Structures are given as C-alpha cells and as structure tokens.
Amino acid sequence: MGIVRVSAIRDPGTSISPIEVDILNGTLARQGTCLSRPRFGVFYRHAVPMGTTAKEEMNKFWAKNNKLNRPMSPHITIYQWSMPMMMSITHRGTGVGLSGGISAFALLALVLPGNYPYYLDLIHSLSIGPALLGLAKFGIAFPVSYHTLNGIRHLFWDSGTGFKIPEVYRSGYVVIALSILTSIAAIAYM
C-alpha cells in the first residue's frame, strides 16, 4: 500500500499539521470525504441535513412573486401557433402513438387465441368499404412516414444545419408533403 498524503485530520480538541501517513486509525480522509471502516458492510459519507424542504422553498418563491406583484408565467393560450410548434407536437404524438400501437399489437398477438391469418380473414369478413379501408391504411401509414421523415430532419439539425427560420419552415413543408405522398404510395401498394 502506498503512502497517502493527508492535508488535515481534525480530532476534537487537537489539530494535526500536514503529514504523510500510511494508515491512521483505519480512516482514509480526502478533501471533505471521510470514508470509514465498513460498518454493516457499507461505506458511508457524513452528510449535513438540508436546511429547508422543497415545499418551503416553493412557498418562499410564490410569496416573493406575490409581494413583488409579478405575473404568472405565460400560458400556452397566449402563444401564436406556428408550423414548427405543431410539427414538434405532432412528432411527439406520432412517436407515442406508434410505440403504444406497436406495444398493444404485440401484447394482443401474445394473448389472443388464433393466428394472423385468422384475424385477417375476420377483418375481410366485416365487409369494410374501400374508402374506410383506405382511411385506416392512411391512419397507419402517415404516422410511420411522418415520424420517420421528421426524425431524418432532426438528424440534420443534430449536425448543425437548417436552423435558420426560412430553412426550418422549408424543411417542415418538405416533410409534410413527403409524408403525405409516401403514405398515399403505401396505400396504393398495400
């Protein structure tokens, strides 16, 4: 074991100047951390309890704001809705919807009796018209294509390109147009 340099070890009533020690009473002291011998198999660190709780801090915050007559933070209702804002919300929504839909489909595939051809025949026996069937296919294809293409747009943003406002709008319109076109192409293919 090497030699440990201890800057100061304080014992009640004594003060030890900096010295080199090998082991001092089984304690290793290092810049504000005191690791003692394992007690019940766990090292512990001496901690000072917090002075206030989170609730007390929030009460102080609101009392100060009320005393200074500060307004509440702006709410979503005062913002003018923009295309990038709607695309961000839609991207999150399609991500949640797709992950929830895939999870539900997988869970149903595990617990329901029968197999895939059985349920496909069941859907065919419902005699759903072509308009409703096309709408259902679009409802599946659009979130997949939109989320994928908007994710590619985000990858370009991660590389540091396309942050100017006209570029943000242009890339947004391209994503929307391509999402609609790829969804229609997917419906025609299915």
Side-chain angles (χ1 to χ4, degrees):
M1 177 180 277
I3 295 178
V4 179
R5 178 144 184 104
V6 178
S7 59
I9 298 177
R10 304 268 184 232
D11 194 30
T14 64
S15 175
I16 301 174
S17 58
I19 57 171
E20 291 183 1
V21 295
D22 201 11
I23 295 179
L24 180 64
N25 294 334
T27 303
L28 171 67
R30 189 183 126 240
Q31 293 186 352
T33 304
C34 182
L35 297 174
S36 298
R37 288 186 191 158
R39 298 189 184 180
F40 305 107
V42 178
F43 285 102
Y44 68 94
R45 180 176 178 179
H46 299 285
V48 177
M50 292 178 45
T52 59
T53 64
K55 186 171 184 167
E56 291 169 345
E57 288 297 321
M58 284 300 296
N59 288 339
K60 284 184 201 176
F61 172 79
W62 289 114
K64 179 181 174 184
N65 283 346
N66 288 336
K67 186 174 81 172
L68 297 173
N69 291 324
R70 290 182 177 163
M72 295 276 291
S73 295
H75 193 265
I76 197 167
T77 57
I78 70 163
Y79 290 110
Q80 181 180 0
W81 288 81
S82 64
M83 195 260 310
M85 181 189 296
M86 289 302 298
M87 288 190 71
S88 175
I89 292 168
T90 306
H91 185 74
R92 293 164 196 248
T94 56
V96 170
L98 288 170
S99 62
I102 290 170
S103 299
F105 183 79
L107 184 65
L108 290 174
L110 287 174
V111 298
L112 288 177
N115 52 16
Y116 179 72
Y118 169 76
Y119 290 103
L120 193 58
D121 289 337
L122 179 68
I123 291 172
H124 284 295
S125 70
L126 295 176
S127 299
I128 298 173
L132 191 56
L133 190 58
L135 188 62
K137 287 179 180 180
F138 187 82
I140 294 170
F142 181 76
V144 171
S145 63
Y146 177 82
H147 195 78
T148 301
L149 293 170
N150 203 38
I152 293 169
R153 177 180 178 223
H154 277 268
L155 288 175
F156 278 104
W157 286 353
D158 290 343
S159 71
T161 59
F163 280 117
K164 293 186 175 118
I165 297 299
E167 294 171 349
V168 169
Y169 276 87
R170 191 177 317 116
S171 65
Y173 290 128
V174 167
V175 164
I176 292 170
L178 286 177
S179 298
I180 292 171
L181 290 175
T182 55
S183 298
I184 291 170
I187 290 170
Y189 180 73
M190 287 193 254

